[in-house]
Amino acid sequence: MTALTLSTAAAPGLRADAIVIGVAKAAKGPVVAPGAEAVDKAYDGRLAAVLETLGASGAEGEVTKLPAPAGFKAPLVVAVGLGGEPEEDASFDPEALRKAAGAAARALTGAKKAAFALPVTDAGDVGAIAEGVLLGAYSFDTYKDNGGGKAKNGKAPLGDAVLLGTRTRDAAHKGALARAVAVCEELNRARDLINMPPNDLTPEAFAAIASSAGKQHGLKVQVLDEKALVKGGYGGILGVGGGSAATPRLVKLSYTHSKADKHLAFVGKGITYDSGGISLKPAGHNETMKCDMSGAAAVFAAVVAAARLGLEVNVTGWLALAENMPSGTAVRPGDVLRMYSGKTVEVLNTDAEGRLVLADALWAASQEAPDAIVDVATLTGAMMLALGSRTFGIMANDDAFRTTVHEAAEEVGEPAWPMPLPEHLRKGMESPTADIANMGERMGGGLVAGLFLREFVGEGITWAHLDIAGPAFNEGGPFGYTPKGGTGTAVRTLVRLAELTAAGDLG
Ligand code: BES
Ligand code: MN
Ligand code: ZN
């Protein structure tokens, strides 16, 4: 991964392949953002005019390359759009900095070293720029034949990034950088897992990776294999996993802090491949279904990040891992499963499998009576239709907690939106044979799924459900700090929630 350093060095004397500067978008045209004064000066104060001549406007995501001015050791200036003008206190929205740093890092693929002279007013900005660089420079090349860490065009991701205008001796700056590195390394690992092909990332392989990385960071790891799941009565996970030659797993990752007085449980949907099962998905709907374990990847990353940050809170992660395949041993539409909670579920559609594995994991998480449970799942196409491909939906059994989760998401720059759990939709899941069916009305399908999950949360436990079906996997081109493929969405929201809980701010 790209290596970051803090520095107060002046841009002109810096040996690097490029200097990155920010450009704000104003009514009168592009404006050079604070941090790039030395570059502007070397252009005789005409840098904004030069940029305008080159067609730059300062729009979000815009990247303009120009030769560095005479006297600079670096040969290239990369001007990146910040979107808008600064706030009244001359600061920029951290998300604008994050996106700009990400776009610049992507434009610098192949470069060995770049200096970032973006506007920094506080430690929050240092963290945002660091995150943008680390997340934007991500690439997944494990399966490229030209391998060896090279990107698809044969170029390696940006090597070193020096963040100018930041101080190594400033504890807040240093802390912000360390936090960004811990969170982004784990987030990028989640992206790797999502991008891994499903023939390699089986439930067993995922469990093994989570187990070794978890232990490496001091977590307690328990893996229930098929035999243990049968013994424990995990009918939901077994039902979904029963059609695959790759057997299911339930992984429990526990991070504990000796001074913690709060306990959070994170639960992730980990369908390593969702073919739909006997209710098989048609072509056109299954090509990206390796991403159906994105919730489990996010939970895994967040628990490890919480451990690396040493947060004063206990966090338990539950990964419900199974492959949904059609076969002679697969669950059929019409089958009734006895879930871990004891409830029975009539499976009407084997493609509504996520709620079945989550139901068991939610019930397992509930047995420890945590202060709150948050589940993360690529659960419904309906949520994608409702909110598009960049925003996840938040449902909860507690209005205040739903707001807390939404605010945490906004704070870290993850687009999210609150969704309701309308009681009248419960009726559609009534089953003539079992306690509940795994499908209800088609309209509001994302909310129906949320209502199903709610039934498997222990009495009195605060719970929120993040349906990340839209933003989990980017099928379009890269933007900001978001690459094509697995995005790692929800990791930063979960980490923020753990931080807020540790600080006693959960409400
Ligand atoms: N994994 C899918 C949801 C999904 C769709 C995620 C598109 C990412 C992109 C989920 O298991 C599913 O198939 N849901 C069904 C539920 C339906 C059968 C009630 C759906 O949304 O169609
Ligand atoms: Mn499905
Ligand atoms: Zn699924």
Side-chain angles (χ1 to χ4, degrees):
M1 215 169 63
T2 308
L4 291 182
T5 45
L6 304 176
S7 169
T8 49
L14 223 124
R15 276 182 210 286
D17 299 305
I19 311 283
V20 176
I21 63 164
V23 190
K25 186 180 162 112
K28 60 174 182 257
V31 176
V32 177
E37 290 81 1
V39 183
D40 190 24
K41 198 171 155 218
Y43 271 104
D44 297 326
R46 292 179 48 252
L47 182 52
V50 170
L51 285 166
E52 191 161 24
T53 308
L54 289 169
S57 68
E60 179 187 308
E62 177 189 271
V63 172
T64 310
K65 293 184 178 179
L66 60 160
F72 269 60
K73 293 245 160 69
L76 180 73
V77 169
V78 174
V80 60
L82 288 162
E85 292 188 69
E87 315 274 337
E88 263 170 43
D89 63 354
S91 73
F92 283 82
D93 173 20
E95 180 62 1
L97 296 174
R98 209 177 275 119
K99 282 183 178 159
R106 278 192 292 109
L108 284 162
T109 301
K112 287 214 162 57
K113 181 178 176 182
F116 286 71
L118 292 171
V120 174
T121 52
D122 59 17
D125 295 346
V126 177
I129 295 167
E131 286 173 18
V133 172
L134 293 170
L135 300 178
Y138 173 83
S139 74
F140 182 72
D141 304 308
T142 318
Y143 290 82
K144 289 280 182 191
D145 260 353
N146 65 357
K150 288 192 186 139
K152 45 187 168 307
N153 52 6
K155 291 180 183 170
L158 172 62
D160 293 318
V162 184
L163 308 190
L164 300 181
T166 66
R167 295 179 297 273
T168 326
R169 291 217 198 97
D170 184 318
H173 285 195
K174 248 175 79 177
L177 176 62
R179 178 190 183 277
V181 170
V183 172
C184 296
E185 276 181 4
E186 296 314 319
L187 195 155
N188 283 338
R189 196 210 316 258
R191 288 171 170 179
D192 280 346
L193 289 168
I194 299 165
N195 291 329
M196 255 176 92
N199 54 336
D200 278 354
L201 193 77
T202 58
E204 183 183 8
F206 193 154
I209 292 169
S211 185
S212 75
K215 282 176 190 157
Q216 194 190 323
H217 292 286
L219 304 181
K220 185 175 168 209
V221 184
Q222 287 159 277
V223 179
L224 300 191
D225 62 11
E226 196 179 27
K227 221 173 115 198
L229 291 168
V230 171
K231 197 161 168 233
Y234 293 82
I237 297 174
L238 288 165
V240 172
S244 173
T247 55
R249 298 287 186 278
L250 176 63
V251 179
K252 178 184 179 190
L253 305 160
S254 314
Y255 164 64
T256 51
H257 189 287
S258 57
K259 288 196 211 134
D261 57 4
K262 293 274 183 205
H263 178 197
L264 281 180
F266 297 152
V267 175
K269 170 177 173 181
I271 300 298
T272 57
Y273 183 70
D274 182 11
S275 72
I278 297 293
S279 314
L280 195 63
K281 286 181 187 293
H285 291 263
N286 52 25
E287 293 80 357
T288 59
M289 278 305 136
K290 67 175 182 179
C291 83
D292 216 20
M293 35 55 72
S294 296
V299 165
F300 167 48
V303 179
V304 175
R308 287 180 62 170
L309 297 173
L311 301 180
E312 214 173 296
V313 54
N314 294 336
V315 185
T316 311
W318 298 85
L319 318 180
L321 308 175
E323 185 179 43
N324 188 20
M325 293 291 267
S327 78
T329 56
V331 68
R332 325 156 180 73
D335 278 356
V336 172
L337 301 175
R338 184 170 292 279
M339 312 294 277
Y340 182 52
S341 78
K343 275 195 182 154
T344 54
V345 177
E346 183 181 11
V347 178
L348 291 180
N349 190 320
T350 65
D351 199 11
E353 84 296 340
R355 63 199 75 183
L356 299 172
V357 299
L358 286 170
D360 280 358
L362 284 167
W363 188 253
S366 297
Q367 300 322 296
E368 302 191 317
D371 295 289
I373 301 179
V374 180
D375 78 68
V376 187
T378 46
L379 205 59
T380 66
M383 194 55 55
M384 209 169 173
L385 288 176
L387 296 177
S389 57
R390 294 195 186 179
T391 305
F392 61 78
I394 311 171
M395 283 145 271
N397 61 2
D398 180 295
D399 289 348
F401 189 56
R402 190 183 52 231
T403 303
T404 301
V405 175
H406 187 203
E407 284 171 356
E410 284 207 314
E411 222 187 305
V412 298
E414 294 193 319
W417 205 251
M419 299 297 273
L421 291 172
E423 297 296 338
H424 73 94
L425 290 175
R426 173 63 179 84
K427 263 212 294 298
M429 289 184 285
E430 275 172 14
S431 158
T433 31
D435 297 330
I436 189 169
N438 78 331
M439 241 185 78
E441 279 181 41
R442 198 170 76 86
M443 296 297 166
L447 321 178
V448 172
L451 281 165
F452 181 94
L453 296 181
R454 192 180 65 174
E455 310 247 336
F456 296 88
V457 176
E459 188 71 31
I461 300 178
T462 304
W463 157 80
H465 158 55
L466 315 186
D467 190 337
I468 61 168
F473 198 79
N474 177 20
E475 291 185 55
F479 59 93
Y481 53 88
T482 306
K484 207 176 161 57
T487 64
T489 193
V491 172
R492 289 177 301 131
T493 297
L494 294 181
V495 172
R496 190 69 200 129
L497 280 173
E499 286 175 333
L500 289 169
T501 310
D505 294 338
L506 199 61

